[in-house]
mmCIF file of all heavy atoms in Angstrom:
data_model
loop_
_atom_site.group_PDB
_atom_site.id
_atom_site.type_symbol
_atom_site.label_atom_id
_atom_site.label_comp_id
_atom_site.label_asym_id
_atom_site.label_seq_id
_atom_site.Cartn_x
_atom_site.Cartn_y
_atom_site.Cartn_z
ATOM 1 N N SER A 287 -0.350 -20.962 -3.237
ATOM 2 C CA SER A 287 -0.025 -21.336 -4.572
ATOM 3 C C SER A 287 -0.465 -20.346 -5.653
ATOM 4 O O SER A 287 -1.322 -19.560 -5.339
ATOM 5 C CB SER A 287 -0.683 -22.706 -4.805
ATOM 6 O OG SER A 287 -2.093 -22.609 -4.651
ATOM 7 N N GLY A 288 0.059 -20.599 -6.845
ATOM 8 C CA GLY A 288 -0.167 -19.647 -7.902
ATOM 9 C C GLY A 288 -1.320 -19.996 -8.778
ATOM 10 O O GLY A 288 -1.691 -21.095 -8.970
ATOM 11 N N ARG A 289 -1.922 -18.988 -9.453
ATOM 12 C CA ARG A 289 -2.980 -19.129 -10.399
ATOM 13 C C ARG A 289 -2.565 -18.332 -11.689
ATOM 14 O O ARG A 289 -1.851 -17.372 -11.548
ATOM 15 C CB ARG A 289 -4.309 -18.614 -9.819
ATOM 16 C CG ARG A 289 -4.796 -19.309 -8.598
ATOM 17 C CD ARG A 289 -5.214 -20.722 -8.972
ATOM 18 N NE ARG A 289 -5.826 -21.419 -7.760
ATOM 19 C CZ ARG A 289 -5.130 -21.963 -6.785
ATOM 20 N NH1 ARG A 289 -3.875 -22.052 -6.835
ATOM 21 N NH2 ARG A 289 -5.694 -22.609 -5.737
ATOM 22 N N VAL A 290 -3.136 -18.717 -12.806
ATOM 23 C CA VAL A 290 -2.831 -17.998 -14.027
ATOM 24 C C VAL A 290 -3.206 -16.444 -13.906
ATOM 25 O O VAL A 290 -2.322 -15.676 -14.394
ATOM 26 C CB VAL A 290 -3.609 -18.586 -15.227
ATOM 27 C CG1 VAL A 290 -3.524 -17.776 -16.406
ATOM 28 C CG2 VAL A 290 -2.998 -19.993 -15.534
ATOM 29 N N PRO A 291 -4.252 -15.957 -13.360
ATOM 30 C CA PRO A 291 -4.454 -14.519 -13.322
ATOM 31 C C PRO A 291 -3.344 -13.742 -12.589
ATOM 32 O O PRO A 291 -3.040 -12.602 -12.905
ATOM 33 C CB PRO A 291 -5.811 -14.363 -12.506
ATOM 34 C CG PRO A 291 -6.468 -15.697 -12.798
ATOM 35 C CD PRO A 291 -5.445 -16.761 -12.823
ATOM 36 N N MET A 292 -2.740 -14.358 -11.586
ATOM 37 C CA MET A 292 -1.633 -13.775 -10.813
ATOM 38 C C MET A 292 -0.402 -13.736 -11.718
ATOM 39 O O MET A 292 0.401 -12.812 -11.709
ATOM 40 C CB MET A 292 -1.323 -14.579 -9.517
ATOM 41 C CG MET A 292 -2.567 -14.610 -8.588
ATOM 42 S SD MET A 292 -2.496 -15.962 -7.496
ATOM 43 C CE MET A 292 -4.155 -15.848 -6.709
ATOM 44 N N ALA A 293 -0.218 -14.830 -12.497
ATOM 45 C CA ALA A 293 0.962 -14.833 -13.476
ATOM 46 C C ALA A 293 0.811 -13.683 -14.443
ATOM 47 O O ALA A 293 1.731 -13.013 -14.836
ATOM 48 C CB ALA A 293 1.016 -16.206 -14.174
ATOM 49 N N SER A 294 -0.484 -13.458 -14.879
ATOM 50 C CA SER A 294 -0.728 -12.357 -15.816
ATOM 51 C C SER A 294 -0.374 -11.014 -15.269
ATOM 52 O O SER A 294 0.249 -10.168 -15.930
ATOM 53 C CB SER A 294 -2.163 -12.525 -16.232
ATOM 54 O OG SER A 294 -2.548 -11.430 -17.142
ATOM 55 N N LEU A 295 -0.835 -10.838 -14.041
ATOM 56 C CA LEU A 295 -0.484 -9.478 -13.361
ATOM 57 C C LEU A 295 0.998 -9.302 -13.320
ATOM 58 O O LEU A 295 1.523 -8.180 -13.445
ATOM 59 C CB LEU A 295 -1.077 -9.509 -11.961
ATOM 60 C CG LEU A 295 -2.693 -9.408 -11.978
ATOM 61 C CD1 LEU A 295 -3.102 -9.458 -10.475
ATOM 62 C CD2 LEU A 295 -3.216 -8.197 -12.731
ATOM 63 N N ARG A 296 1.766 -10.359 -13.051
ATOM 64 C CA ARG A 296 3.215 -10.265 -12.937
ATOM 65 C C ARG A 296 3.823 -9.590 -14.214
ATOM 66 O O ARG A 296 4.847 -8.891 -14.139
ATOM 67 C CB ARG A 296 3.818 -11.627 -12.715
ATOM 68 C CG ARG A 296 5.381 -11.640 -12.452
ATOM 69 C CD ARG A 296 6.075 -12.803 -13.193
ATOM 70 N NE ARG A 296 6.180 -12.552 -14.521
ATOM 71 C CZ ARG A 296 7.363 -11.946 -15.096
ATOM 72 N NH1 ARG A 296 8.213 -11.437 -14.255
ATOM 73 N NH2 ARG A 296 7.483 -11.778 -16.345
ATOM 74 N N GLU A 297 3.238 -9.932 -15.344
ATOM 75 C CA GLU A 297 3.800 -9.469 -16.598
ATOM 76 C C GLU A 297 3.775 -7.960 -16.733
ATOM 77 O O GLU A 297 4.553 -7.375 -17.484
ATOM 78 C CB GLU A 297 3.035 -10.049 -17.774
ATOM 79 C CG GLU A 297 3.040 -11.633 -17.833
ATOM 80 C CD GLU A 297 4.464 -12.172 -18.077
ATOM 81 O OE1 GLU A 297 5.151 -11.591 -18.830
ATOM 82 O OE2 GLU A 297 4.827 -13.109 -17.397
ATOM 83 N N ILE A 298 2.833 -7.194 -16.140
ATOM 84 C CA ILE A 298 2.741 -5.851 -16.264
ATOM 85 C C ILE A 298 3.950 -5.149 -15.860
ATOM 86 O O ILE A 298 4.417 -4.189 -16.466
ATOM 87 C CB ILE A 298 1.542 -5.308 -15.485
ATOM 88 C CG1 ILE A 298 0.195 -5.971 -15.865
ATOM 89 C CG2 ILE A 298 1.380 -3.767 -15.520
ATOM 90 C CD1 ILE A 298 -0.987 -5.737 -15.017
ATOM 91 N N TRP A 299 4.534 -5.629 -14.742
ATOM 92 C CA TRP A 299 5.673 -4.978 -14.163
ATOM 93 C C TRP A 299 6.972 -5.811 -14.294
ATOM 94 O O TRP A 299 8.019 -5.328 -13.904
ATOM 95 C CB TRP A 299 5.507 -4.645 -12.692
ATOM 96 C CG TRP A 299 4.412 -3.690 -12.446
ATOM 97 C CD1 TRP A 299 4.432 -2.333 -12.583
ATOM 98 C CD2 TRP A 299 3.038 -4.039 -12.103
ATOM 99 N NE1 TRP A 299 3.201 -1.789 -12.277
ATOM 100 C CE2 TRP A 299 2.275 -2.758 -12.026
ATOM 101 C CE3 TRP A 299 2.333 -5.179 -11.907
ATOM 102 C CZ2 TRP A 299 0.868 -2.669 -11.703
ATOM 103 C CZ3 TRP A 299 0.951 -5.087 -11.572
ATOM 104 C CH2 TRP A 299 0.269 -3.893 -11.490
ATOM 105 N N ASP A 300 6.850 -6.978 -14.917
ATOM 106 C CA ASP A 300 8.020 -7.832 -15.037
ATOM 107 C C ASP A 300 8.652 -8.151 -13.699
ATOM 108 O O ASP A 300 9.939 -8.016 -13.566
ATOM 109 C CB ASP A 300 9.019 -7.189 -16.091
ATOM 110 C CG ASP A 300 10.131 -8.223 -16.495
ATOM 111 O OD1 ASP A 300 9.818 -9.445 -16.460
ATOM 112 O OD2 ASP A 300 11.219 -7.874 -16.943
ATOM 113 N N SER A 301 7.864 -8.317 -12.757
ATOM 114 C CA SER A 301 8.257 -8.406 -11.351
ATOM 115 C C SER A 301 8.811 -9.911 -11.144
ATOM 116 O O SER A 301 8.496 -10.771 -11.890
ATOM 117 C CB SER A 301 7.155 -8.143 -10.407
ATOM 118 O OG SER A 301 6.163 -9.133 -10.408
ATOM 119 N N ALA A 302 9.522 -10.093 -10.010
ATOM 120 C CA ALA A 302 9.684 -11.455 -9.481
ATOM 121 C C ALA A 302 8.270 -11.844 -8.998
ATOM 122 O O ALA A 302 7.460 -11.041 -8.592
ATOM 123 C CB ALA A 302 10.624 -11.405 -8.249
ATOM 124 N N TRP A 303 8.062 -13.161 -9.014
ATOM 125 C CA TRP A 303 6.758 -13.662 -8.524
ATOM 126 C C TRP A 303 6.959 -14.791 -7.545
ATOM 127 O O TRP A 303 7.582 -15.756 -7.919
ATOM 128 C CB TRP A 303 5.884 -14.110 -9.734
ATOM 129 C CG TRP A 303 4.503 -14.644 -9.341
ATOM 130 C CD1 TRP A 303 3.760 -14.242 -8.330
ATOM 131 C CD2 TRP A 303 3.821 -15.742 -9.906
ATOM 132 N NE1 TRP A 303 2.666 -14.949 -8.194
ATOM 133 C CE2 TRP A 303 2.575 -15.802 -9.279
ATOM 134 C CE3 TRP A 303 4.011 -16.492 -11.126
ATOM 135 C CZ2 TRP A 303 1.588 -16.784 -9.574
ATOM 136 C CZ3 TRP A 303 3.025 -17.408 -11.490
ATOM 137 C CH2 TRP A 303 1.893 -17.612 -10.762
ATOM 138 N N VAL A 304 6.550 -14.604 -6.361
ATOM 139 C CA VAL A 304 6.693 -15.559 -5.281
ATOM 140 C C VAL A 304 5.412 -16.395 -5.037
ATOM 141 O O VAL A 304 4.376 -15.768 -4.804
ATOM 142 C CB VAL A 304 7.098 -14.858 -3.962
ATOM 143 C CG1 VAL A 304 7.239 -15.845 -2.844
ATOM 144 C CG2 VAL A 304 8.415 -14.180 -4.153
ATOM 145 N N PHE A 305 5.500 -17.719 -5.127
ATOM 146 C CA PHE A 305 4.322 -18.535 -4.893
ATOM 147 C C PHE A 305 4.811 -19.882 -4.286
ATOM 148 O O PHE A 305 5.966 -20.233 -4.394
ATOM 149 C CB PHE A 305 3.541 -18.714 -6.099
ATOM 150 C CG PHE A 305 4.273 -19.213 -7.336
ATOM 151 C CD1 PHE A 305 4.132 -20.461 -7.826
ATOM 152 C CD2 PHE A 305 5.122 -18.350 -8.041
ATOM 153 C CE1 PHE A 305 4.717 -21.034 -8.981
ATOM 154 C CE2 PHE A 305 5.686 -18.829 -9.176
ATOM 155 C CZ PHE A 305 5.603 -20.085 -9.656
ATOM 156 N N TYR A 306 3.892 -20.554 -3.610
ATOM 157 C CA TYR A 306 4.195 -21.763 -3.001
ATOM 158 C C TYR A 306 3.330 -22.921 -3.492
ATOM 159 O O TYR A 306 2.245 -23.134 -3.027
ATOM 160 C CB TYR A 306 4.118 -21.633 -1.452
ATOM 161 C CG TYR A 306 4.696 -22.820 -0.731
ATOM 162 C CD1 TYR A 306 6.047 -23.005 -0.537
ATOM 163 C CD2 TYR A 306 3.854 -23.814 -0.175
ATOM 164 C CE1 TYR A 306 6.551 -24.061 0.153
ATOM 165 C CE2 TYR A 306 4.352 -24.943 0.606
ATOM 166 C CZ TYR A 306 5.708 -25.012 0.644
ATOM 167 O OH TYR A 306 6.205 -26.114 1.365
ATOM 168 N N GLY A 307 3.791 -23.543 -4.552
ATOM 169 C CA GLY A 307 2.920 -24.516 -5.278
ATOM 170 C C GLY A 307 2.161 -23.768 -6.427
ATOM 171 O O GLY A 307 2.159 -22.549 -6.456
ATOM 172 N N TRP A 308 1.627 -24.474 -7.274
ATOM 173 C CA TRP A 308 0.854 -23.857 -8.455
ATOM 174 C C TRP A 308 -0.218 -24.719 -8.932
ATOM 175 O O TRP A 308 -0.129 -25.979 -8.774
ATOM 176 C CB TRP A 308 1.867 -23.447 -9.544
ATOM 177 C CG TRP A 308 2.506 -24.629 -10.279
ATOM 178 C CD1 TRP A 308 2.044 -25.149 -11.473
ATOM 179 C CD2 TRP A 308 3.700 -25.291 -9.889
ATOM 180 N NE1 TRP A 308 2.978 -26.189 -11.790
ATOM 181 C CE2 TRP A 308 3.961 -26.348 -10.840
ATOM 182 C CE3 TRP A 308 4.616 -25.188 -8.793
ATOM 183 C CZ2 TRP A 308 4.980 -27.157 -10.767
ATOM 184 C CZ3 TRP A 308 5.655 -26.054 -8.730
ATOM 185 C CH2 TRP A 308 5.893 -27.065 -9.709
ATOM 186 N N GLN A 309 -1.216 -24.108 -9.509
ATOM 187 C CA GLN A 309 -2.413 -24.849 -10.069
ATOM 188 C C GLN A 309 -2.027 -25.544 -11.303
ATOM 189 O O GLN A 309 -1.475 -24.948 -12.223
ATOM 190 C CB GLN A 309 -3.643 -23.990 -10.132
ATOM 191 C CG GLN A 309 -4.839 -24.733 -10.471
ATOM 192 C CD GLN A 309 -6.072 -23.898 -10.412
ATOM 193 O OE1 GLN A 309 -6.188 -22.823 -10.974
ATOM 194 N NE2 GLN A 309 -7.078 -24.356 -9.551
ATOM 195 N N ASN A 310 -2.472 -26.785 -11.457
ATOM 196 C CA ASN A 310 -2.333 -27.548 -12.638
ATOM 197 C C ASN A 310 -3.515 -28.532 -12.692
ATOM 198 O O ASN A 310 -4.060 -28.921 -11.782
ATOM 199 C CB ASN A 310 -0.979 -28.266 -12.680
ATOM 200 C CG ASN A 310 -0.416 -28.399 -14.053
ATOM 201 O OD1 ASN A 310 -1.127 -28.517 -15.008
ATOM 202 N ND2 ASN A 310 1.011 -28.370 -14.126
ATOM 203 N N THR A 311 -3.768 -28.993 -13.841
ATOM 204 C CA THR A 311 -4.870 -30.043 -13.974
ATOM 205 C C THR A 311 -4.268 -31.424 -13.674
ATOM 206 O O THR A 311 -3.055 -31.672 -13.958
ATOM 207 C CB THR A 311 -5.499 -29.993 -15.321
ATOM 208 O OG1 THR A 311 -4.485 -29.953 -16.372
ATOM 209 C CG2 THR A 311 -6.340 -28.768 -15.599
ATOM 210 N N VAL A 312 -5.026 -32.265 -13.081
ATOM 211 C CA VAL A 312 -4.504 -33.584 -12.764
ATOM 212 C C VAL A 312 -4.216 -34.402 -13.936
ATOM 213 O O VAL A 312 -3.309 -35.144 -14.045
ATOM 214 C CB VAL A 312 -5.491 -34.281 -11.792
ATOM 215 C CG1 VAL A 312 -5.087 -35.676 -11.518
ATOM 216 C CG2 VAL A 312 -5.699 -33.443 -10.572
ATOM 217 N N VAL A 313 -5.035 -34.344 -15.012
ATOM 218 C CA VAL A 313 -4.960 -35.290 -16.075
ATOM 219 C C VAL A 313 -4.513 -34.468 -17.348
ATOM 220 O O VAL A 313 -3.425 -34.975 -17.947
ATOM 221 C CB VAL A 313 -6.385 -35.812 -16.520
ATOM 222 C CG1 VAL A 313 -6.268 -36.777 -17.622
ATOM 223 C CG2 VAL A 313 -6.915 -36.643 -15.181
ATOM 224 N N ASN A 314 -5.130 -33.539 -17.755
ATOM 225 C CA ASN A 314 -4.833 -32.888 -19.127
ATOM 226 C C ASN A 314 -3.865 -31.664 -18.905
ATOM 227 O O ASN A 314 -4.304 -30.632 -18.534
ATOM 228 C CB ASN A 314 -6.166 -32.349 -19.714
ATOM 229 C CG ASN A 314 -7.067 -33.503 -20.013
ATOM 230 O OD1 ASN A 314 -6.628 -34.566 -20.494
ATOM 231 N ND2 ASN A 314 -8.379 -33.363 -19.790
ATOM 232 N N ALA A 315 -2.655 -31.927 -19.253
ATOM 233 C CA ALA A 315 -1.652 -30.765 -19.169
ATOM 234 C C ALA A 315 -1.775 -29.901 -20.351
ATOM 235 O O ALA A 315 -2.301 -30.349 -21.419
ATOM 236 C CB ALA A 315 -0.243 -31.329 -19.067
ATOM 237 N N GLY A 316 -1.438 -28.744 -20.258
ATOM 238 C CA GLY A 316 -1.338 -27.786 -21.407
ATOM 239 C C GLY A 316 -2.564 -26.965 -21.548
ATOM 240 O O GLY A 316 -2.700 -26.295 -22.522
ATOM 241 N N LEU A 317 -3.374 -26.901 -20.426
ATOM 242 C CA LEU A 317 -4.551 -25.997 -20.448
ATOM 243 C C LEU A 317 -4.119 -24.623 -20.036
ATOM 244 O O LEU A 317 -3.963 -24.332 -18.885
ATOM 245 C CB LEU A 317 -5.685 -26.529 -19.607
ATOM 246 C CG LEU A 317 -6.255 -27.872 -20.026
ATOM 247 C CD1 LEU A 317 -7.188 -28.399 -18.946
ATOM 248 C CD2 LEU A 317 -6.973 -27.804 -21.376
ATOM 249 N N LEU A 318 -3.944 -23.625 -21.035
ATOM 250 C CA LEU A 318 -3.276 -22.354 -20.717
ATOM 251 C C LEU A 318 -4.146 -21.506 -19.750
ATOM 252 O O LEU A 318 -3.571 -20.621 -19.035
ATOM 253 C CB LEU A 318 -3.097 -21.600 -22.054
ATOM 254 C CG LEU A 318 -2.130 -22.356 -23.007
ATOM 255 C CD1 LEU A 318 -1.999 -21.500 -24.257
ATOM 256 C CD2 LEU A 318 -0.805 -22.497 -22.367
ATOM 257 N N VAL A 319 -5.467 -21.731 -19.699
ATOM 258 C CA VAL A 319 -6.271 -20.930 -18.842
ATOM 259 C C VAL A 319 -6.204 -21.384 -17.396
ATOM 260 O O VAL A 319 -6.699 -20.767 -16.441
ATOM 261 C CB VAL A 319 -7.779 -20.953 -19.266
ATOM 262 C CG1 VAL A 319 -7.921 -20.228 -20.586
ATOM 263 C CG2 VAL A 319 -8.307 -22.325 -19.276
ATOM 264 N N VAL A 320 -5.604 -22.572 -17.124
ATOM 265 C CA VAL A 320 -5.578 -23.216 -15.808
ATOM 266 C C VAL A 320 -4.156 -23.557 -15.440
ATOM 267 O O VAL A 320 -3.640 -23.267 -14.292
ATOM 268 C CB VAL A 320 -6.394 -24.406 -15.793
ATOM 269 C CG1 VAL A 320 -6.216 -25.109 -14.388
ATOM 270 C CG2 VAL A 320 -7.892 -24.112 -15.936
ATOM 271 N N ASP A 321 -3.375 -24.219 -16.315
ATOM 272 C CA ASP A 321 -2.017 -24.700 -15.948
ATOM 273 C C ASP A 321 -1.038 -23.663 -15.892
ATOM 274 O O ASP A 321 -0.630 -22.977 -16.960
ATOM 275 C CB ASP A 321 -1.589 -25.790 -16.902
ATOM 276 C CG ASP A 321 -2.458 -26.976 -16.908
ATOM 277 O OD1 ASP A 321 -3.324 -27.119 -15.969
ATOM 278 O OD2 ASP A 321 -2.418 -27.750 -17.855
ATOM 279 N N VAL A 322 -0.539 -23.293 -14.681
ATOM 280 C CA VAL A 322 0.350 -22.162 -14.549
ATOM 281 C C VAL A 322 1.618 -22.315 -15.282
ATOM 282 O O VAL A 322 2.205 -21.514 -15.957
ATOM 283 C CB VAL A 322 0.630 -21.900 -13.054
ATOM 284 C CG1 VAL A 322 1.686 -20.779 -12.791
ATOM 285 C CG2 VAL A 322 -0.663 -21.395 -12.340
ATOM 286 N N ASP A 323 2.189 -23.630 -15.232
ATOM 287 C CA ASP A 323 3.413 -23.828 -15.842
ATOM 288 C C ASP A 323 3.294 -23.828 -17.429
ATOM 289 O O ASP A 323 4.168 -23.284 -18.089
ATOM 290 C CB ASP A 323 4.109 -25.218 -15.399
ATOM 291 C CG ASP A 323 3.096 -26.372 -15.375
ATOM 292 O OD1 ASP A 323 1.905 -26.217 -15.860
ATOM 293 O OD2 ASP A 323 3.500 -27.499 -15.035
ATOM 294 N N SER A 324 2.257 -24.291 -17.983
ATOM 295 C CA SER A 324 1.992 -24.235 -19.376
ATOM 296 C C SER A 324 1.856 -22.787 -19.825
ATOM 297 O O SER A 324 2.473 -22.382 -20.816
ATOM 298 C CB SER A 324 0.707 -24.960 -19.824
ATOM 299 O OG SER A 324 0.852 -26.364 -19.429
#
């Protein structure tokens, strides 16, 4: 699964990013330091 730091590295090369599931908070959505989709 994906984490925000890996999403950040993707941006350097504008690469495709392959991951299987992603980290998110159970209750509070929209936490940019944790929620990969946000």
Side-chain angles (χ1 to χ4, degrees):
S287 60
R289 300 291 185 274
V290 168
M292 302 156 186
S294 177
L295 293 175
R296 186 216 81 85
E297 299 296 318
I298 300 172
W299 295 280
D300 195 20
S301 68
W303 181 31
V304 177
F305 52 108
Y306 190 77
W308 65 97
Q309 188 169 53
N310 213 325
T311 50
V312 175
V313 179
N314 298 316
L317 295 174
L318 296 177
V319 295
V320 174
D321 296 346
V322 173
D323 48 0
S324 297

